[in-house]
Amino acid sequence: MNKGIVKLAPSILSADFAHLGKQVGEAEQAGADRIHVDVMDGHFVPNISMGPLVVQSLRPVTRLPLETHLMISDPDFYLDEFAEAGSDSLLVHWEGNNNLHRTVQRVKALGKRVGVVINPASPASVLEEILQDVDQVLVMTVNPGFGHQHFIHTTLPKIRRVRQMIEEIKPGCDLEVDGGIDATTAPLVVDAGANVLVAGSAIFSERKGVVAAMERLRAAANESK
Ligand code: DX5
Ligand code: ZN
């Protein structure tokens, strides 16, 4: 369905943290379009990962945009800090945010790209009124919190619905998917309308290395065209 270029966003959650700069460099060389940074607070999701310091450390080692996926309660308190650390885009969840419009406007005021994220159980329809204000939508294809989870197939019809909404309301808005994306599921999500694929374990936990893993994923993503 999607005839555009599919972009890859490696998620460093599955990277080797002892060699983070090196791994990001490999992903950049292999043609990554952006680096996906998963921020977890042990409250919004049952896991703790990384904060602004990691963004700050990565900023000088890559030219790629750093997109920050905020899986935290009260993201408003941390937007400035991540922006200052060097995030290029801030992705905030619809779930648990009573003032999403305000959060989105604050990210825009910081001069950053903004995306809204929806969990597997949240319907596409919650995006309808906010879509015109965002640069991208992220549809979670697993429940957020951990890497290496199985892709949830019931999210596919929702990806199609979001693609339709984007074409009607905000053409040009990125439709990104996150969770369980590998060579098997990539063609399915691209066929449903996704144009940006986040992948953690399929890129950083592959035995053959980051470059080979990204080649394989890109080839699979283009299969559906
Ligand atoms: C999950 C994170 C994902 C995660 C994806 O909560 O938002 O970005 O790193 O990992 P994989 O690709 O292994 O499912
Ligand atoms: Zn993520």
Side-chain angles (χ1 to χ4, degrees), residues 11-14 36 38 40 45 69 71 138 140 142-150 178-181 198-202:
S11 159
I12 57 168
L13 190 62
S14 293
H36 185 87
D38 286 305
M40 305 176 182
V45 289
H69 178 187
M71 288 164 274
L138 174 55
M140 292 306 299
V142 299
N143 289 300
F146 302 92
H148 299 263
Q149 299 186 78
H150 290 297
D178 184 5
I181 303 299
V198 176
S201 48

Short mmCIF file of all heavy atoms in Angstrom, two decimals, residues 11-14 36 38 40 45 69 71 138 140 142-150 178-181 198-202, ligand 1:
data_model
loop_
_atom_site.label_atom_id
_atom_site.label_comp_id
_atom_site.label_asym_id
_atom_site.label_seq_id
_atom_site.Cartn_x
_atom_site.Cartn_y
_atom_site.Cartn_z
N SER A 11 16.36 1.06 17.61
CA SER A 11 16.13 1.38 19.03
C SER A 11 17.31 0.88 19.85
O SER A 11 17.58 -0.32 19.89
CB SER A 11 14.84 0.71 19.52
OG SER A 11 14.89 0.61 20.94
N ILE A 12 17.97 1.81 20.53
CA ILE A 12 19.19 1.43 21.27
C ILE A 12 18.89 0.66 22.56
O ILE A 12 19.81 0.24 23.24
CB ILE A 12 20.07 2.67 21.59
CG1 ILE A 12 19.28 3.72 22.38
CG2 ILE A 12 20.66 3.25 20.31
CD1 ILE A 12 20.16 4.81 22.97
N LEU A 13 17.60 0.45 22.84
CA LEU A 13 17.27 -0.34 24.04
C LEU A 13 17.93 -1.71 23.99
O LEU A 13 18.28 -2.28 25.02
CB LEU A 13 15.74 -0.48 24.15
CG LEU A 13 15.18 -1.05 25.44
CD1 LEU A 13 15.52 -0.16 26.62
CD2 LEU A 13 13.67 -1.25 25.35
N SER A 14 18.10 -2.25 22.78
CA SER A 14 18.71 -3.58 22.64
C SER A 14 20.20 -3.51 22.32
O SER A 14 20.82 -4.54 22.04
CB SER A 14 18.01 -4.37 21.53
OG SER A 14 16.69 -4.67 21.92
N HIS A 36 16.35 5.78 17.76
CA HIS A 36 15.20 5.78 18.65
C HIS A 36 15.68 5.51 20.08
O HIS A 36 16.31 4.49 20.37
CB HIS A 36 14.26 4.67 18.18
CG HIS A 36 12.96 4.57 18.89
ND1 HIS A 36 11.84 5.30 18.53
CD2 HIS A 36 12.58 3.80 19.94
CE1 HIS A 36 10.83 4.98 19.32
NE2 HIS A 36 11.24 4.07 20.20
N ASP A 38 14.58 4.97 23.91
CA ASP A 38 13.44 4.60 24.74
C ASP A 38 13.65 5.01 26.19
O ASP A 38 14.53 4.46 26.87
CB ASP A 38 13.23 3.08 24.67
CG ASP A 38 12.62 2.65 23.35
OD1 ASP A 38 11.56 3.19 22.99
OD2 ASP A 38 13.22 1.79 22.67
N MET A 40 12.19 5.17 29.95
CA MET A 40 11.20 4.49 30.81
C MET A 40 11.45 4.84 32.26
O MET A 40 12.61 4.88 32.70
CB MET A 40 11.31 2.98 30.64
CG MET A 40 11.19 2.51 29.21
SD MET A 40 11.46 0.74 29.11
CE MET A 40 11.32 0.50 27.34
N VAL A 45 5.60 2.62 32.65
CA VAL A 45 5.82 1.24 32.20
C VAL A 45 6.64 0.52 33.28
O VAL A 45 7.37 1.17 34.03
CB VAL A 45 6.59 1.18 30.85
CG1 VAL A 45 5.72 1.64 29.70
CG2 VAL A 45 7.89 1.98 30.90
N HIS A 69 11.48 8.54 22.75
CA HIS A 69 10.17 7.95 23.03
C HIS A 69 9.97 7.97 24.55
O HIS A 69 10.61 7.22 25.28
CB HIS A 69 10.16 6.51 22.47
CG HIS A 69 8.90 5.77 22.73
ND1 HIS A 69 8.76 4.42 22.44
CD2 HIS A 69 7.70 6.16 23.25
CE1 HIS A 69 7.54 4.02 22.77
NE2 HIS A 69 6.89 5.06 23.28
N MET A 71 8.28 7.12 27.63
CA MET A 71 7.35 6.23 28.32
C MET A 71 7.42 6.56 29.80
O MET A 71 7.91 5.78 30.63
CB MET A 71 7.73 4.77 28.05
CG MET A 71 7.44 4.35 26.62
SD MET A 71 8.27 2.82 26.15
CE MET A 71 9.84 3.48 25.62
N LEU A 138 3.08 7.37 16.31
CA LEU A 138 3.75 6.10 16.58
C LEU A 138 2.71 5.11 17.10
O LEU A 138 2.10 5.35 18.15
CB LEU A 138 4.87 6.29 17.61
CG LEU A 138 5.59 5.04 18.10
CD1 LEU A 138 6.14 4.21 16.97
CD2 LEU A 138 6.72 5.41 19.06
N MET A 140 2.16 1.65 18.71
CA MET A 140 2.87 0.57 19.40
C MET A 140 2.32 -0.78 18.94
O MET A 140 1.09 -0.99 18.94
CB MET A 140 2.70 0.67 20.93
CG MET A 140 3.38 1.85 21.60
SD MET A 140 5.14 1.99 21.25
CE MET A 140 5.78 0.44 21.91
N VAL A 142 3.62 -3.59 20.31
CA VAL A 142 3.71 -4.40 21.53
C VAL A 142 3.29 -3.48 22.67
O VAL A 142 3.22 -2.26 22.48
CB VAL A 142 5.15 -4.92 21.82
CG1 VAL A 142 5.67 -5.80 20.70
CG2 VAL A 142 6.12 -3.76 22.09
N ASN A 143 3.06 -4.04 23.84
CA ASN A 143 2.83 -3.18 25.00
C ASN A 143 4.18 -2.61 25.42
O ASN A 143 5.15 -3.36 25.56
CB ASN A 143 2.19 -3.99 26.13
CG ASN A 143 0.76 -4.36 25.81
OD1 ASN A 143 -0.08 -3.48 25.60
ND2 ASN A 143 0.48 -5.65 25.71
N PRO A 144 4.26 -1.29 25.61
CA PRO A 144 5.56 -0.68 25.85
C PRO A 144 6.18 -1.14 27.17
O PRO A 144 5.49 -1.51 28.11
CB PRO A 144 5.24 0.81 25.88
CG PRO A 144 3.81 0.91 26.24
CD PRO A 144 3.16 -0.31 25.64
N GLY A 145 7.51 -1.11 27.21
CA GLY A 145 8.21 -1.43 28.45
C GLY A 145 9.43 -2.31 28.24
O GLY A 145 10.39 -2.21 28.99
N PHE A 146 9.40 -3.15 27.21
CA PHE A 146 10.50 -4.09 27.03
C PHE A 146 10.78 -4.33 25.54
O PHE A 146 9.87 -4.24 24.72
CB PHE A 146 10.15 -5.45 27.67
CG PHE A 146 9.85 -5.33 29.13
CD1 PHE A 146 8.55 -5.14 29.58
CD2 PHE A 146 10.88 -5.38 30.08
CE1 PHE A 146 8.26 -5.00 30.93
CE2 PHE A 146 10.60 -5.23 31.43
CZ PHE A 146 9.29 -5.04 31.86
N GLY A 147 12.04 -4.64 25.26
CA GLY A 147 12.40 -5.09 23.92
C GLY A 147 12.11 -6.58 23.80
O GLY A 147 11.63 -7.21 24.75
N HIS A 148 12.37 -7.15 22.64
CA HIS A 148 12.28 -8.61 22.42
C HIS A 148 10.88 -9.17 22.63
O HIS A 148 10.75 -10.33 23.00
CB HIS A 148 13.23 -9.38 23.34
CG HIS A 148 14.66 -9.06 23.16
ND1 HIS A 148 15.53 -9.80 22.39
CD2 HIS A 148 15.41 -8.03 23.65
CE1 HIS A 148 16.73 -9.25 22.42
NE2 HIS A 148 16.69 -8.18 23.17
N GLN A 149 9.83 -8.41 22.44
CA GLN A 149 8.48 -8.97 22.62
C GLN A 149 7.91 -9.36 21.26
O GLN A 149 8.38 -8.94 20.21
CB GLN A 149 7.55 -7.92 23.25
CG GLN A 149 7.97 -7.45 24.63
CD GLN A 149 6.91 -6.53 25.23
OE1 GLN A 149 5.88 -6.96 25.72
NE2 GLN A 149 7.18 -5.22 25.15
N HIS A 150 6.82 -10.17 21.34
CA HIS A 150 6.18 -10.60 20.09
C HIS A 150 5.26 -9.52 19.53
O HIS A 150 4.49 -8.91 20.28
CB HIS A 150 5.37 -11.89 20.32
CG HIS A 150 6.24 -13.07 20.56
ND1 HIS A 150 7.11 -13.54 19.60
CD2 HIS A 150 6.38 -13.87 21.64
CE1 HIS A 150 7.76 -14.58 20.09
NE2 HIS A 150 7.35 -14.80 21.33
N ASP A 178 6.36 0.38 16.35
CA ASP A 178 7.39 0.08 17.33
C ASP A 178 7.03 -1.17 18.13
O ASP A 178 6.01 -1.19 18.82
CB ASP A 178 7.52 1.30 18.26
CG ASP A 178 8.62 1.17 19.30
OD1 ASP A 178 9.38 0.18 19.26
OD2 ASP A 178 8.72 2.08 20.14
N GLY A 179 7.89 -2.20 18.01
CA GLY A 179 7.72 -3.39 18.82
C GLY A 179 7.55 -4.65 17.98
O GLY A 179 6.63 -4.75 17.18
N GLY A 180 8.50 -5.58 18.14
CA GLY A 180 8.39 -6.85 17.44
C GLY A 180 8.57 -6.75 15.94
O GLY A 180 8.11 -7.61 15.19
N ILE A 181 9.25 -5.69 15.48
CA ILE A 181 9.47 -5.52 14.04
C ILE A 181 10.73 -6.29 13.63
O ILE A 181 11.82 -6.04 14.16
CB ILE A 181 9.60 -4.03 13.64
CG1 ILE A 181 8.36 -3.23 14.08
CG2 ILE A 181 9.84 -3.90 12.13
CD1 ILE A 181 7.04 -3.67 13.48
N VAL A 198 10.60 1.15 13.76
CA VAL A 198 11.53 1.07 14.90
C VAL A 198 11.89 -0.41 15.06
O VAL A 198 11.02 -1.27 15.00
CB VAL A 198 10.87 1.58 16.21
CG1 VAL A 198 11.83 1.39 17.39
CG2 VAL A 198 10.45 3.03 16.07
N ALA A 199 13.16 -0.69 15.26
CA ALA A 199 13.55 -2.08 15.55
C ALA A 199 14.73 -2.09 16.50
O ALA A 199 15.72 -1.38 16.28
CB ALA A 199 13.90 -2.81 14.25
N GLY A 200 14.59 -2.86 17.57
CA GLY A 200 15.65 -2.97 18.56
C GLY A 200 16.39 -4.29 18.40
O GLY A 200 17.49 -4.35 17.85
N SER A 201 15.75 -5.37 18.84
CA SER A 201 16.43 -6.66 18.83
C SER A 201 16.76 -7.15 17.42
O SER A 201 17.78 -7.79 17.22
CB SER A 201 15.60 -7.70 19.59
OG SER A 201 14.26 -7.68 19.18
N ALA A 202 15.91 -6.82 16.44
CA ALA A 202 16.18 -7.28 15.07
C ALA A 202 17.41 -6.60 14.48
O ALA A 202 17.93 -7.05 13.46
CB ALA A 202 14.96 -7.04 14.18
C1 DX5 B 1 9.29 -1.01 23.73
C2 DX5 B 1 10.12 0.05 23.07
C3 DX5 B 1 10.69 -0.35 21.78
C4 DX5 B 1 11.66 -1.51 21.86
C5 DX5 B 1 11.49 -2.32 20.63
O1 DX5 B 1 8.69 -0.51 24.85
O2 DX5 B 1 9.34 1.22 22.87
O3 DX5 B 1 11.27 0.75 21.08
O4 DX5 B 1 13.00 -1.14 21.97
O5 DX5 B 1 12.26 -3.46 20.73
P1 DX5 B 1 12.05 -4.70 19.77
O6 DX5 B 1 12.34 -4.20 18.38
O7 DX5 B 1 13.03 -5.71 20.25
O8 DX5 B 1 10.63 -5.15 19.89
#
